[in-house]
């Protein structure tokens, strides 16, 4: 009966959200995990929690026009999806990327509800962005775009209602321009954006947080089995903040990161990724990964054009653990099979929904393989954004060590509540089921308490 209900709900949202495949994928993964909870407690169906939680509380779409350096007007579409505020103000990043559209941002906002719930902090779920690509743009063009984007976004945000952060394409530079425009328009200096500069309200360890948190979560999974990351070879995809600081923390845990990737291809460095070189190439020079060979000539660069059809070649490299840290659906069924065949026994998601449903089903079918789902494993970034909000509210600035320690505690808490919930519902160690039920139950109970508005 419950499974039929879930099937009907999914078919209904498919009809109502045509073309939004990644949103439907996220909903499918979560809703099927909730079957044991819905069979045990009928209050969630009686109160129509599933139907309510699948629809954003508010969606804003707006035109953003800026003038480029050639004095030509450029037109983009901006978005803010305020998905759920049952346990706190909307919290979620802004993504500036050509692929940013309503379906992608709804998927990210929907995932954010449960990710934020798992942290134990009082944060609701939201997401936003625009189909604007900062790559190749001058600082002046990016500044003008951010200022015009904020003219519309400022209608929604504040430190107690909706608190955006950065995401793909939105780093410290973009947050600075956005906050400057917000402050000018609203005449307020508050914690309405996170990811701010350290000398004007930002938090230490925020840049590192998602990567560090992913590694902390992976180590918790291994520790539960009496193992640890020490000595393990680790494949990483991506080369942004998540990937860079995953590699950095792996070294601190005495593991060896051996790959990174970007839109041009991937690097395999059998001696271990040179994190300082990677930071210079990606954070300072903003160049492609082929530049890495100038620093480590013995490494191998494989261009994107040489990838096997339908595959991400980074997952062909034999490793003990894999950290998909680039983008959604970058690890498919064939990739998962290849990783398993080559000895990988742990996959920890640093990106948002980087594994396809088929890949996840395969991984979970292997009882000797550990899997850390994104909403649990990559929650470190938003958790530290929450810590930045706390520092802003109290007009304090905590040390790097203090923030990192709190982050470690939060990731340990997320693992434990996810693991304990999986055990409670009869599938011990299935962290997809455990994290989905734990994240959902907290939000759903708050929605019931607060009535039907």
């Amino acid at each position: 009966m419950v499974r039929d209900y879930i099937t009907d709900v999914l078919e209904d949202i498919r009809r109502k959200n045509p073309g939004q495949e990644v949103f439907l994928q996220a909903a499918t993964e979560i809703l099927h995990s909730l079957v044991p909870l819905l069979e045990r407690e009928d209050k969630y169906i009686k109160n129509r929690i599933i139907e309510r939680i699948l629809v954003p509380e508010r969606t804003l779409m707006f035109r953003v026009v800026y003038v480029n350096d050639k004095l030509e007007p450029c037109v983009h579409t901006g978005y803010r999806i305020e998905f759920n505020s049952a346990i706190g103000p909307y919290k979620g990043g802004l993504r500036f990327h050509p692929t940013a559209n309503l379906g992608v941002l709804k998927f990210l906002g929907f995932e954010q509800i449960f990710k934020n719930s798992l942290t134990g902090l009082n944060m609701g779920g939201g997401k936003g962005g625009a189909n604007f690509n900062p790559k190749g743009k001058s600082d002046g063009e990016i500044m003008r775009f951010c200022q015009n984007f904020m003219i519309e976004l400022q209608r929604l945000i504040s430190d107690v209602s909706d608190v955006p952060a950065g995401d793909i394409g939105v780093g410290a530079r973009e947050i600075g321009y956005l906050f400057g425009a917000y402050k000018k328009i609203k005449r307020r200096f508050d914690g309405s954006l996170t990811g701010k500069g350290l000398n004007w309200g930002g938090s230490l360890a925020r840049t590192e947080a998602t990567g560090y948190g992913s590694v902390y979560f992976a180590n918790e999974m291994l520790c539960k089995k009496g193992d640890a990351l020490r000595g393990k070879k680790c494949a990483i995809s991506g080369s942004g903040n998540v990937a860079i600081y995953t590699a950095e923390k792996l070294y601190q845990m005495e593991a060896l990161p051996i790959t990174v990737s970007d839109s041009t291809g991937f690097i395999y460095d059998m001696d271990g990724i040179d994190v300082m070189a990677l930071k210079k190439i990606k954070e300072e020079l903003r160049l492609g990964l082929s530049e890495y060979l100038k620093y480590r000539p013995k490494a191998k660069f494989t261009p994107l054009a040489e990838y096997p059809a339908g595959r991400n070649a980074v997952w062909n490299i034999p490793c003990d653990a894999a950290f998909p840290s680039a983008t959604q659906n970058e690890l498919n069924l064939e990739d998962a099979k290849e990783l398993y065949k080559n000895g990988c026994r742990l996959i920890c998601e640093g990106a948002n929904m980087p594994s396809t449903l088929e890949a996840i089903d395969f991984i979970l079918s292997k009882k000797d393989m550990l899997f850390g789902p994104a909403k649990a494993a990559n929650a470190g970034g938003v958790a530290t954004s929450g810590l930045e909000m706390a520092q802003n509210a109290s007009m304090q600035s905590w040390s790097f060590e203090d923030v990192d320690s709190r982050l470690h505690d939060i990731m340990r808490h997320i693992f434990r509540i996810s693991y304990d919930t999986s055990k409670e519902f009869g599938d011990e160690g299935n962290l997809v089921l455990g994290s989905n039920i734990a994240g959902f139950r907290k939000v759903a109970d708050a929605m019931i308490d607060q009535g039907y508005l």
Side-chain angles (χ1 to χ4, degrees):
M1 177 180 172
V2 170
R3 292 186 184 279
D4 291 341
Y5 163 71
I6 292 296
T7 299
D8 290 344
V9 170
L10 288 171
E11 183 56 36
D12 186 54
I13 67 165
R14 182 184 292 276
R15 286 195 303 268
K16 293 176 178 177
N17 300 275
Q20 297 179 15
E21 294 304 317
V22 287
F23 172 54
L24 184 66
Q25 178 184 338
T28 300
E29 184 248 301
I30 290 174
L31 265 57
H32 282 302
S33 295
L34 299 178
V35 169
L37 174 65
L38 300 179
E39 289 177 337
R40 179 188 294 186
E41 300 187 56
D42 63 0
K43 64 180 180 179
Y44 301 115
I45 295 178
K46 285 183 177 179
N47 284 278
R48 294 290 185 264
I49 295 297
I50 300 297
E51 291 89 340
R52 291 161 58 192
I53 208 168
L54 282 164
V55 178
E57 294 175 9
R58 188 175 295 103
T59 301
L60 181 67
M61 295 177 59
F62 49 92
R63 182 179 64 199
V64 183
V65 183
Y66 78 100
V67 177
N68 66 18
D69 290 342
K70 297 178 181 179
L71 302 182
E72 300 166 336
C74 301
V75 184
H76 296 274
T77 304
Y79 306 85
R80 187 62 180 172
I81 316 293
E82 295 185 331
F83 228 113
N84 192 286
S85 60
I87 63 171
Y90 309 103
K91 187 80 188 80
L94 298 171
R95 175 174 292 194
F96 290 169
H97 194 270
T99 61
N101 57 43
L102 188 59
V104 168
L105 296 174
K106 281 176 67 176
F107 133 62
L108 293 167
F110 185 62
E111 289 272 301
Q112 201 78 47
I113 300 169
F114 311 105
K115 182 189 304 184
N116 294 0
S117 172
L118 288 169
T119 67
L121 304 175
N122 293 325
M123 300 184 295
K127 206 71 179 183
N131 59 348
F132 167 77
N133 190 358
K135 286 187 177 180
K137 305 291 194 302
S138 70
D139 284 351
E141 289 173 321
I142 292 169
M143 179 180 67
R144 291 191 292 276
F145 176 83
C146 290
Q147 290 170 340
N148 284 281
F149 183 88
M150 183 54 73
I151 288 173
E152 294 297 329
L153 188 67
Q154 56 87 20
R155 303 171 190 270
L156 295 179
I157 69 174
S158 80
D159 55 341
V160 293
S161 62
D162 185 346
V163 186
D167 192 76
I168 294 173
V170 180
R173 172 183 56 183
E174 288 76 17
I175 291 292
Y177 294 150
L178 289 164
F179 185 79
Y182 171 83
K183 183 167 63 72
K184 180 74 171 179
I185 295 166
K186 303 292 283 188
R187 299 181 65 245
R188 290 171 58 101
F189 194 115
D190 58 31
S192 58
L193 286 162
T194 57
K196 299 184 291 297
L198 293 178
N199 60 343
W200 47 277
S203 174
L204 290 163
R206 175 59 189 92
T207 303
E208 296 86 351
T210 306
Y212 277 23
S214 178
V215 175
Y216 287 143
F217 193 88
N219 204 54
E220 290 296 319
M221 289 194 287
L222 288 167
C223 287
K224 191 68 178 180
K225 298 290 186 181
D227 200 354
L229 279 166
R230 181 182 297 115
K232 290 187 167 45
K233 293 182 179 180
C234 302
I236 305 170
S237 65
S239 54
N241 279 348
V242 181
I244 290 171
Y245 292 102
T246 294
E248 183 170 277
K249 180 55 70 172
L250 283 170
Y251 276 122
Q252 294 174 19
M253 304 293 274
E254 300 181 39
L256 187 70
I258 56 175
T259 69
V260 287
S261 67
D262 67 5
S263 59
T264 66
F266 84 94
I267 287 288
Y268 169 48
D269 191 337
M270 63 181 298
D271 296 322
I273 294 296
D274 185 330
V275 175
M276 294 305 297
L278 185 62
K279 287 182 180 180
K280 184 172 183 63
I281 293 164
K282 287 298 179 182
E283 296 181 340
E284 183 179 334
L285 302 176
R286 301 176 187 265
L287 298 173
L289 276 178
S290 60
E291 292 291 310
Y292 184 87
L293 300 181
K294 295 179 180 179
Y295 300 85
R296 300 290 284 264
K298 292 183 180 179
K300 180 182 178 182
F301 174 70
T302 302
L304 186 65
E306 296 180 14
Y307 284 19
R311 295 286 311 285
N312 187 345
V314 73
W315 307 128
N316 289 344
I317 303 299
C319 62
D320 301 305
F323 292 81
S325 305
T327 190
Q328 63 260 22
N329 291 328
E330 59 170 297
L331 194 158
N332 62 28
L333 176 59
E334 294 306 313
D335 296 325
K337 289 179 177 178
E338 188 70 18
L339 283 167
Y340 187 79
K341 184 182 76 173
N342 286 335
C344 177
R345 291 297 181 267
L346 181 150
I347 296 176
C348 190
E349 296 187 319
N352 289 300
M353 203 172 71
S355 306
T356 65
L357 293 176
E358 296 79 11
I360 293 172
D361 288 343
F362 172 81
I363 296 163
L364 294 179
S365 74
K366 301 298 182 182
K367 298 305 179 184
D368 60 341
M369 199 165 193
L370 301 174
F371 182 68
K375 67 180 58 61
N378 85 349
V382 73
T384 306
S385 284
L387 298 179
E388 181 176 328
M389 291 168 64
Q391 292 171 77
N392 292 165
S394 60
M395 301 181 71
Q396 297 182 57
S397 181
W398 303 335
S399 70
F400 187 100
E401 292 74 20
D402 191 4
V403 176
D404 191 29
S405 175
R406 291 172 191 247
L407 168 64
H408 198 170
D409 288 343
I410 289 171
M411 299 311 297
R412 188 178 291 118
H413 161 78
I414 294 173
F415 172 77
R416 287 175 179 171
I417 193 173
S418 300
Y419 190 92
D420 290 348
T421 304
S422 74
K423 186 176 180 180
E424 176 189 349
F425 284 89
D427 197 356
E428 185 172 357
N430 182 345
L431 300 180
V432 174
L433 179 143
S435 61
N436 283 339
I437 291 179
F440 171 84
R441 186 159 51 178
K442 179 180 178 180
V443 175
D445 288 345
M447 291 173 69
I448 292 171
D449 290 345
Q450 294 168 22
Y452 294 157
L453 293 177

